Amino acid sequence: MAEFTMELNDEQKEVRDWLHGFAADVIRPAAAEWDEREETPWPVIQEAAKVGIYSLDFYAQQYFDPTGLGIPMTMEELFWGDAGIALSIVGTGLAAVGVLANGTEEQIGTWVPQMYGDANDVKLAAFCSSEPDAGSDVASMRTRAVYDEAKDEWVINGTKTWATNGGIANVHVVVAVVDPELGSKGHASFIVPPNTPGLSQGQKFKKHGIRASHTAEVILDNVRVPGSCLLGGKEKLDERLARARERAKRGGERVKNAAMATFEASRPAVGAMAVGTARAAYEVALDYATTREQFGRPIIDNQGVAFQLADMRTQVDAARLLVWRASWMAINGKPFTAAEGSMSKLFASETAKKVTAQAIQILGGNGYTREYPVERMHRDSAIYTIFEGTSEIQRLVIARTLSGMSIR
């Protein structure tokens, strides 16, 4: 087990500096254009693939970093560049985590490489969990998967929404109900291979922020996938459902479902995204405050501005520490006994919204225009308190974990 440390080693520093250079030289110059276009920034993704950032090998190295800091370090630097473009680059990772969290070794080896492709043939993947009537309330999920024993196939019907890369991805990971009587415990995850008949893109959303990231509905109309596409396999699913039914008879211990396993693993990473955006806004505000003069002196000479910047930096650093702690705990198999993963996402997400708003205030009228990046950063920051579990859900998870009560 790696000891927890706040100091990156030499190899990690080298990777961090490489990522920072890519974010500064490639992502930032393209950010405003792709925000306006509201389209997937394929040239940037292809450049990321060309240099090795968008690749299975790179993310595997970071994911299995024994310190746990590889992924949060990567997310912070890329999202420091721009949240929308960065999400287009890392969006495939959520689907990959879904397979890693729930799949067999054979499934991981088969499907995760197909999610990325290579530098000459870039692929994308999408994780599809949310539905029009089932976001935070996963128990209300309606997408249904029915097993056709004669053909050893699963038949999936339903509509997913808010899917990053939804409909344009080569591989989709879909969470569906297999036993409606068990509520959220009766869910399972499925791989939908490329070009599977019945899967199509529905509405593409025009968003407040992260506009360079493709977000859409995914329609599943009698989608048939082989039995081997059930993540974890049918034997494991049958055992899990049997345990869930037995627990239900005894009064109901909580059991993790497939979607929650994915979100639990990814929450510190989302926190790191928020840290990157918050840090970027803080740096813009600090630079502006030291160079902008009013009444014959830099505006940072005023306590009202200087104290805001002091609070902003403190909050960014505190958020990073919570993210690093949760990431270290996760890689070392330490249980989140106080919902440390949710804590990290909650605090970092709220910090990003607050810090970006303060940055606009410090820049004044300039901050409110698109001539400066902080207004885009503020728009982008709103998503962190919403996707992969709203701030309210994080507080609910934390409160339930601390109290042991089924707080509603």
Side-chain angles (χ1 to χ4, degrees):
M1 181 178 69
E3 292 186 0
F4 179 71
T5 176
M6 294 183 290
E7 181 69 25
L8 298 177
N9 59 41
D10 290 342
E11 182 179 350
Q12 289 169 325
K13 289 177 181 177
E14 184 177 344
V15 172
R16 178 200 61 192
D17 293 344
W18 173 54
L19 290 166
H20 187 80
F22 183 84
D25 298 338
V26 180
I27 294 179
R28 279 205 168 178
E33 175 188 350
W34 291 99
D35 178 70
E36 290 285 348
R37 291 176 63 166
E38 299 190 51
E39 297 174 357
T40 301
W42 283 107
V44 183
I45 298 173
Q46 289 165 345
E47 184 64 23
K50 181 180 177 181
V51 301
I53 292 174
Y54 185 83
S55 72
L56 173 58
D57 287 344
F58 174 71
Y59 282 103
Q61 290 174 13
Q62 304 316 308
Y63 187 84
F64 293 109
D65 178 345
T67 70
L69 302 184
I71 289 295
M73 176 187 68
T74 297
M75 297 300 175
E76 179 176 339
E77 293 304 327
L78 294 178
F79 280 74
W80 172 90
D82 176 68
I85 291 178
L87 190 57
S88 289
I89 294 173
V90 307
T92 289
L94 183 59
V97 168
V99 177
L100 290 167
N102 300 296
T104 64
E105 289 187 9
E106 182 179 356
Q107 289 170 330
I108 292 170
T110 299
W111 293 109
V112 176
Q114 294 187 49
M115 294 178 172
Y116 289 92
D118 57 44
N120 297 316
D121 187 19
V122 174
K123 305 294 186 183
L124 298 176
F127 183 74
C128 307
S129 176
S130 294
E131 298 184 1
D133 296 317
S136 299
D137 183 11
V138 294
S140 296
M141 190 176 293
R142 295 180 181 177
T143 296
R144 185 76 190 275
V146 178
Y147 185 55
D148 183 342
E149 189 170 0
K151 295 184 178 180
D152 186 26
E153 292 180 338
W154 289 89
V155 184
I156 309 174
N157 283 280
T159 299
K160 294 296 181 178
T161 194
W162 310 122
T164 299
N165 297 332
I168 66 171
N170 303 90
V171 178
H172 291 75
V173 177
V174 176
V175 182
V177 178
V178 294
D179 188 333
E181 294 183 0
L182 292 175
S184 62
K185 303 176 186 67
H187 296 175
S189 291
F190 299 85
I191 292 284
V192 180
N195 302 314
T196 298
L199 185 146
S200 62
Q201 179 184 310
Q203 176 186 5
K204 178 186 174 183
F205 296 103
K206 296 181 72 67
K207 305 187 298 294
H208 175 67
I210 56 167
R211 294 177 178 176
S213 174
H214 176 95
T215 310
E217 290 182 330
V218 174
I219 311 299
L220 301 118
D221 183 12
N222 286 323
V223 169
R224 285 183 168 267
V225 299
S228 60
C229 287
L230 166 64
L231 290 181
K234 193 165 188 307
E235 182 177 347
K236 183 178 178 181
L237 172 65
D238 289 342
E239 291 174 357
R240 178 167 63 81
L241 295 178
R243 289 195 302 270
R245 293 185 191 106
E246 185 59 31
R247 288 187 177 98
K249 290 179 182 178
R250 295 203 307 262
E253 302 171 49
R254 289 202 301 272
V255 181
K256 293 177 184 175
N257 63 54
M260 289 301 102
T262 301
F263 290 140
E264 186 171 304
S266 64
R267 276 171 180 160
V270 177
M273 298 174 188
V275 171
T277 300
R279 182 183 123 212
Y282 157 76
E283 290 177 359
V284 172
L286 176 63
D287 180 69
Y288 186 87
T290 56
T291 57
R292 170 71 167 172
E293 291 191 359
Q294 290 286 280
F295 306 107
R297 59 180 184 174
I299 62 173
I300 199 171
D301 278 356
N302 299 294
Q303 285 188 2
V305 173
F307 285 8
Q308 280 195 78
L309 287 162
D311 287 344
M312 290 160 74
R313 175 59 185 267
T314 299
Q315 290 158 0
V316 170
D317 283 11
R320 182 185 298 109
L321 288 174
L322 284 172
V323 167
W324 282 18
R325 179 183 70 166
S327 301
W328 175 81
M329 291 176 68
I331 198 68
N332 286 286
K334 290 187 171 294
F336 289 159
T337 55
E340 288 87 351
S342 291
M343 282 184 183
S344 70
K345 181 185 182 295
L346 170 64
F347 189 82
S349 298
E350 296 292 341
T351 292
K353 285 186 68 175
K354 184 175 181 180
V355 167
T356 55
Q358 288 175 304
I360 290 177
Q361 191 68 25
I362 289 172
L363 270 67
N366 286 328
Y368 199 66
T369 71
R370 295 189 183 181
E371 295 300 314
Y372 287 78
V374 291
E375 70 83 28
R376 184 179 69 250
M377 294 171 182
H378 185 51
R379 286 189 284 108
D380 292 341
S381 71
I383 194 60
Y384 300 128
T385 62
I386 297 172
F387 73 174
E388 295 197 49
T390 64
S391 287
E392 292 74 21
I393 289 296
Q394 305 310 318
R395 292 184 176 98
L396 186 64
V397 170
I398 296 166
R400 284 176 172 175
T401 303
L402 295 177
S403 68
M405 304 291 288
S406 295
I407 299 168
R408 296 182 179 273

